[in-house]
């Protein structure tokens, strides 16, 4: 709890993209998607190699925070991140079944005097320092830290082949109405129909497998399809600018 209080100290207001009168009633989400060009993929790989220890997840988090900051008119941005919640040091983890996923706040503060490289290094260090505390429930974090930990956008980084983020290997063939995909170590992925719904106005899912891909779930009562697609396009534009000139 002390670690989360320190991280969110000074964040006094929620980061909200929905209007004040939004009641958050359950509703089906709509979805748009996009993928990076080969040139952008290569530029992002070069960026993470150049800044030693930097992960692609951190780069996308910074880009998403900038887009959310533009939506909300804020330089101090908080959004939610889905984390796996399966620490390797937990005894018996390899034999446990169930959903261990958690959602935690990610805070990004933008300083005009700071370079992209400095921002990314700072964000990476902050996230690494919080790994041991990601098990704490979101409700407990928000009770401890106040309104600054409130947000209504969420991001998930999937570092495995899944759905629109998976690229079909050339030798895979359809089996009836299904398509099998071969993952690492011969692991099979079979494609099925999928419909996602979220409680948040915006939810970004990012996957690097077979090239960087993104899908954005959005509430159609708050955003139209053109606006939602524009947000994904903005994320890719920001990533391109960051990779082109991190200094």
């Amino acid at each position: 709890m002390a670690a989360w209080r320190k991280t969110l100290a000074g964040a006094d207001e929620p980061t909200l993209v929905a209007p004040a009168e939004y009641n958050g009633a359950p509703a089906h989400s709509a979805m748009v998607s996009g993928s990076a060009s080969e040139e952008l993929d290569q530029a992002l790989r070069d960026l993470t190699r150049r800044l030693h220890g930097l992960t692609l997840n951190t780069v996308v988090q910074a880009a998403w925070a900038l887009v959310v900051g533009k939506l909300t008119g804020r330089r101090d941005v908080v959004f939610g991140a889905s984390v796996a919640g399966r620490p390797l040091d937990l005894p018996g983890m390899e034999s446990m079944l169930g959903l261990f996923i958690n959602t935690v706040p990610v805070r990004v503060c933008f300083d005009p005097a700071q370079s992209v490289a400095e921002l990314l290094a700072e964000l990476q260090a902050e996230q690494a320092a919080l790994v041991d505390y990601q098990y704490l429930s979101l409700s407990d974090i928000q009770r401890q830290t106040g309104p600054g930990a409130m947000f209504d956008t969420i991001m998930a980084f999937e570092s495995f082949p899944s759905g629109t983020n998976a690229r079909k290997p050339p030798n895979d063939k359809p089996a009836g109405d299904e398509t099998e995909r071969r993952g690492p170590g011969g692991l099979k992925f079979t494609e099925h129909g999928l419909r996602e719904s979220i409680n948040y106005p915006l939810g970004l899912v990012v996957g690097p497998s077979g090239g960087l891909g993104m899908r954005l779930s959005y509430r159609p009562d708050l955003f139209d399809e053109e606006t939602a697609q524009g947000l994904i396009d903005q994320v890719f534009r920001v990533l391109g600018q960051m990779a082109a000139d991190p200094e």
Side-chain angles (χ1 to χ4, degrees):
M1 290 181 178
W4 286 109
R5 282 196 296 268
K6 179 181 178 182
T7 296
L8 292 159
D12 300 323
E13 297 180 3
T15 303
L16 304 176
V17 299
E21 62 272 16
Y22 171 66
N23 60 13
H28 284 300
S29 303
M31 188 178 73
V32 292
S33 61
S35 57
S37 65
E38 291 185 8
E39 292 78 13
L40 178 56
D41 268 328
Q42 185 59 54
L44 290 171
R45 285 194 293 271
D46 292 342
L47 176 66
T48 55
R49 278 196 296 266
R50 196 182 325 162
L51 305 178
H52 301 293
L54 182 68
T55 66
L56 182 58
N57 182 24
T58 297
V59 181
V60 179
Q61 283 185 338
W64 178 240
L66 195 61
V67 171
V68 173
K70 186 172 178 61
L71 275 174
T72 57
R74 295 173 59 91
R75 285 184 178 169
D76 188 349
V77 172
V78 176
F79 61 89
S82 296
V83 293
R86 286 184 174 270
L88 295 176
D89 56 352
L90 182 63
M93 173 53 71
E94 70 282 356
S95 61
M96 293 180 185
L97 299 177
L99 191 65
F100 285 74
I101 197 168
N102 194 19
T103 300
V104 296
V106 175
R107 184 183 188 186
V108 184
C109 298
F110 294 105
D111 179 355
Q114 194 176 41
S115 70
V116 168
E118 291 168 341
L119 168 67
L120 294 175
E122 184 177 279
L123 179 58
Q124 177 93 21
E126 290 171 352
Q127 293 303 297
L130 289 169
V131 167
D132 289 342
Y133 313 113
Q134 289 179 340
Y135 62 85
L136 195 62
S137 72
L138 180 58
S139 58
D140 284 340
I141 294 172
Q142 290 174 335
R143 274 195 296 269
Q144 285 291 316
T145 56
M150 304 292 181
F151 52 82
D152 63 359
T153 66
I154 189 170
M155 177 188 147
F157 190 90
E158 295 181 342
S159 53
F160 53 86
S162 173
T164 57
N165 296 327
R167 177 170 292 173
K168 180 184 174 185
N171 296 327
D172 273 9
K173 296 180 180 179
D177 292 331
E178 299 175 347
T179 300
E180 283 190 353
R181 300 172 189 247
R182 294 282 178 172
L187 188 65
K188 289 182 182 179
F189 294 86
T190 302
E191 192 75 6
H192 290 280
L194 173 66
R195 181 170 185 176
E196 294 179 321
S197 287
I198 60 172
N199 294 327
Y200 296 96
L202 294 173
L204 184 70
V205 178
V206 183
S209 180
L212 183 65
M214 300 183 189
R215 63 184 189 268
L216 181 67
S217 295
Y218 65 94
R219 294 280 301 245
D221 53 340
L222 294 173
F223 299 93
D224 58 33
E225 182 178 359
E226 182 180 1
T227 301
Q229 189 66 58
L231 293 175
I232 282 193
D233 295 342
Q234 283 185 49
V235 176
F236 281 122
R237 282 199 299 273
V238 171
L239 288 171
Q241 291 170 339
M242 293 166 70
D245 188 10
E247 298 306 323

